[in-house]
Amino acid sequence: MALARELDAALDGATEFVWELGSGHGHFLAAYAAAHPTVCCIGVDIVSERIERARRKRDRARLTNLHFLRTEGRLFLETLPPTTRIRDAFILFPDPWPKSRHHKHRIIQQSFLQQLASHATFDCRLIFRTDFAPYFEAARATVTANDQWKLTDEPWPFEAETVFQNRAPTHHSLVARRRPSFPPAISPPAQKDVEP
């Protein structure tokens, strides 16, 4: 599968990486990768033109720790090697799908949070920002209701304004942490009835 090969080349043996879902033209992740040169950074987007521009930005800056792949977020997670973990996941200004009948298309859904948690380090951060207040409130409620993630009062971890953020009159942000997982309790074996 082409995506698996591209992902393997991007990881180049790394077992953890920082992920941006919907990386657009790569402004944010390029700035992040430049500030964290020892961290493997992978951005994904579904639009070819965006990925091409992001790759040109990476190449001009000679960021060998930065990679952009054209794929959908859920497919990316399904393709990840089982031993590779996401240490931080950035989702910045995703499509808010404002109409009620389109809310099912929003990325912050219970099923996505569960899928992300299954590929995350035990203390991974989910870092979300939107300029659409109703989506922010819905996302916060969805994260709060999920047993794999916990909202925190941590400060925003890395600020690098993108073209889109500069156009937004205001924005809303949240940071959540992956809850540590514990193996399920093992029940003792059932006792057999013993004849007296």
Side-chain angles (χ1 to χ4, degrees), residues 46-113:
I46 59 172
V47 180
S48 297
E49 183 269 338
R50 293 176 189 161
I51 291 296
E52 290 167 8
R53 288 184 61 175
R55 287 174 177 168
R56 288 198 297 270
K57 189 183 310 300
R58 172 202 63 194
D59 295 344
R60 284 194 303 270
R62 299 180 181 174
L63 297 170
T64 58
N65 61 324
L66 177 60
H67 311 277
F68 293 101
L69 305 177
R70 183 183 173 275
T71 186
E72 190 269 337
R74 291 178 188 272
L75 178 60
F76 177 87
L77 292 176
E78 290 169 8
T79 309
L80 269 181
T83 56
T84 305
R85 291 284 176 260
I86 299 167
R87 62 183 263 187
D88 280 327
F90 287 92
I91 304 175
L92 309 179
F93 300 98
D95 190 331
W97 294 102
K99 295 181 179 178
S100 296
R101 68 178 182 272
H102 295 153
H103 286 184
K104 62 186 176 183
H105 298 303
R106 289 176 172 176
I107 190 63
I108 303 295
Q109 304 278 351
Q110 292 297 341
S111 59
F112 172 79
L113 294 177

Side-chain angles (χ1 to χ4, degrees), residues 19-30 42-46 50-51 54 57 66-70 90 92 162:
W19 186 43
E20 185 183 8
L21 173 56
S23 53
H25 297 154
H27 299 288
F28 176 84
L29 202 57
I42 300 176
V44 302
D45 205 289
I46 59 172
R50 293 176 189 161
I51 291 296
K57 189 183 310 300
L66 177 60
H67 311 277
F68 293 101
L69 305 177
R70 183 183 173 275
F90 287 92
L92 309 179
T162 65

Side-chain angles (χ1 to χ4, degrees), residues 27-28 31 129 158-167 171:
H27 299 288
F28 176 84
R129 179 170 280 175
F158 183 79
E159 196 64 70
E161 288 192 359
T162 65
V163 173
F164 189 90
Q165 184 169 320
N166 283 332
R167 291 176 185 160
H171 58 261

